[in-house]
Amino acid sequence: MRTPAAGAARAPGPRPAVGPATGSRWSAYVSNMPFDADEAQLLACCVEALGGDPAAVRSATIARSREDGRACGFGFVELASETALVSLLQRSALELSGRVLRVASRGRATSLPGQTGPRREGSFGGRRRARKPL
């Protein structure tokens, strides 16, 4: 278990969420971001990708490290409508500071790429077999 740094006090209670706390149904996860990017740049990039309509993007949040406050390279964008979300997801060349951003829906994926069957339990991926009695 990690101990807090000297002089750093943490308020009691649940840990804050990484993304927007609004729980919007139309949120997108943005990754491969430059570490020097800020929320204003991400917001402007998404507004530009959606045809320059500032009402289409509600907010942009960049995840930051708890220790030093530096950007972690990913963030979340909250959009005003489902059509704005679909339009942003279909953009293939979303670019910020020379880096091509990856945009995905914030919702949980039902299956992972390359996953073909049910998940196997155990340390070596095989089935547990009953031991033969001695």
Side-chain angles (χ1 to χ4, degrees):
M1 187 168 163
R2 293 166 50 189
T3 59
R10 189 173 146 202
R15 291 168 57 170
V18 174
T22 60
S24 172
R25 294 187 332 197
W26 302 299
S27 292
Y29 168 77
V30 182
S31 62
N32 198 34
M33 291 178 38
F35 294 106
D36 61 345
D38 62 357
E39 282 84 2
Q41 290 175 327
L42 178 59
L43 187 69
C45 179
C46 292
V47 166
E48 181 183 330
L50 294 171
D53 182 18
V57 182
R58 288 187 180 165
S59 66
T61 305
I62 294 178
R64 301 202 176 271
S65 170
R66 279 186 250 163
E67 285 82 23
D68 55 11
R70 290 189 298 178
C72 294
F74 69 94
F76 299 95
V77 177
E78 184 182 352
L79 301 157
S81 67
E82 184 179 11
T83 56
L85 174 63
V86 170
S87 177
L88 190 64
L89 291 173
Q90 290 175 347
R91 296 286 304 197
S92 61
L94 195 60
E95 192 171 314
L96 180 63
S97 299
R99 296 186 72 159
V100 177
L101 305 179
R102 288 186 288 253
V103 182
S105 177
R106 189 169 176 193
R108 187 175 158 204
T110 56
S111 64
L112 299 174
Q115 187 177 19
T116 58
R119 184 170 177 226
R120 294 183 181 180
E121 297 294 327
S123 59
F124 295 103
R127 286 187 175 173
R128 271 195 167 194
R129 297 181 187 175
R131 289 186 171 184
K132 294 182 182 178
L134 295 176

